[in-house]
């Protein structure tokens, strides 16, 4: 049994094998073994980009619910009991109530791409997280690795991309970028 667990890549101490009776359409009741998570902690803490996406989703929900709450959005991973704990995260992640240039420039490029994507109109949004990697790679290919570098290169970013054989950003994406950089 242990060899089977190893061959199936089951993390020892996190999942346990249990015998369960299930109903199989056309076959009736059957007994099978399933893996049940017994340790609710995360194997890998969520990335800053993932936390950014959650924070912006919560901000969007406030707006949809008509909330005028202007408090910062706080994600406290240490109080996520049923979801697990993040032993590697010692403090809450706080997103500002209102984005400023200082807040924006402090983001990682991945977090910024999430924020940029939130500003794109429906139907023009990128597919996340797949497109986040391609946008970061495209920018990296023209020497833009940080938000402040993108801010500096904004006026000629499409020319740089064309010169490197990369696809230009659409006018819609550039408009959303300009809106972010005008905060």
């Amino acid at each position: 049994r242990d060899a089977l667990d190893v061959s199936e890549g089951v993390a020892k101490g996190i999942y346990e094998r249990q015998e369960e009776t299930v109903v199989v359409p056309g076959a009736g009741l059957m007994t099978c073994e399933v893996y049940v998570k017994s340790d609710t902690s995360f194997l890998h803490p969520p990335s800053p980009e993932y936390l950014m996406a959650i924070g912006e989703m919560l901000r969007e929900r406030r707006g949809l619910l008509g909330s005028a709450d202007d408090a910062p959005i706080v994600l406290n991973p240490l109080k996520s009991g049923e979801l697990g704990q993040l032993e590697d995260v010692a403090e809450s992640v706080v997103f500002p109530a209102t984005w400023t240039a200082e807040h924006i420039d402090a983001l990682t490029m991945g977090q910024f791409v999430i924020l940029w994507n939130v500003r794109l109109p429906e139907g023009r949004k990128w597919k996340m997280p797949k497109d986040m990697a391609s946008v970061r790679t495209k920018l990296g290919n023209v020497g833009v690795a940080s938000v402040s570098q993108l801010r500096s290169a904004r006026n000629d970013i499409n020319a740089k991309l064309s010169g490197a054989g990369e696809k230009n950003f659409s006018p819609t994406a550039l408009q959303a970028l300009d809106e972010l950089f005008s905060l």
Side-chain angles (χ1 to χ4, degrees):
R1 257 181 129 162
D2 288 339
L4 179 62
D5 291 348
V6 170
S7 71
E8 291 180 350
V10 176
K12 205 171 189 73
I14 295 174
Y15 292 91
E16 61 185 40
R17 187 190 300 255
Q18 291 182 359
E19 196 169 279
E20 296 291 331
T21 303
V22 296
V23 177
V24 178
L29 292 177
M30 296 185 77
T31 301
C32 65
E33 289 186 341
V34 294
Y35 293 106
V36 177
K37 191 168 185 179
S38 57
D39 179 352
T40 60
S41 62
F42 288 110
L43 289 176
H44 304 285
S47 68
E49 292 81 7
Y50 177 80
L51 293 174
M52 178 73 177
I54 296 298
E56 286 306 296
M57 181 204 64
L58 292 172
R59 184 185 313 276
E60 180 182 65
R61 294 292 173 243
R62 280 183 179 174
L64 291 174
L65 295 173
S67 172
D69 190 352
D70 61 353
I73 293 172
V74 179
L75 300 178
N76 188 338
L78 297 177
K79 291 186 177 176
S80 59
E82 67 279 355
L83 298 176
Q85 291 182 327
L86 296 177
E87 291 83 5
D88 295 342
V89 179
E91 57 191 48
S92 298
V93 180
V94 179
F95 297 102
T98 306
W99 288 104
T100 65
E102 182 182 2
H103 292 122
I104 289 170
D105 286 349
L107 296 173
T108 67
M109 186 55 84
Q111 289 173 313
F112 179 77
V113 171
I114 297 283
L115 188 61
W116 187 359
N117 189 50
V118 167
R119 302 295 193 280
L120 293 174
E122 289 303 321
R124 301 300 306 240
K125 293 191 183 292
W126 298 318
K127 304 285 186 261
M128 294 296 189
K130 181 186 75 136
D131 288 343
M132 178 176 48
S134 64
V135 170
R136 287 182 3 198
T137 298
K138 176 169 36 176
L139 290 170
N141 288 342
V142 295
V144 175
S146 69
V147 178
S148 60
Q149 289 174 335
L150 179 56
R151 187 184 293 275
S152 296
R154 164 53 195 108
N155 290 333
D156 60 348
I157 193 63
N158 274 348
K160 288 183 178 204
L161 291 170
S162 293
E166 296 284 353
K167 184 177 175 189
N168 286 351
F169 288 114
S170 71
T172 306
L174 292 177
Q175 180 181 356
L177 182 65
D178 290 341
E179 288 170 11
L180 274 174
F181 285 157
S182 69
L183 297 177

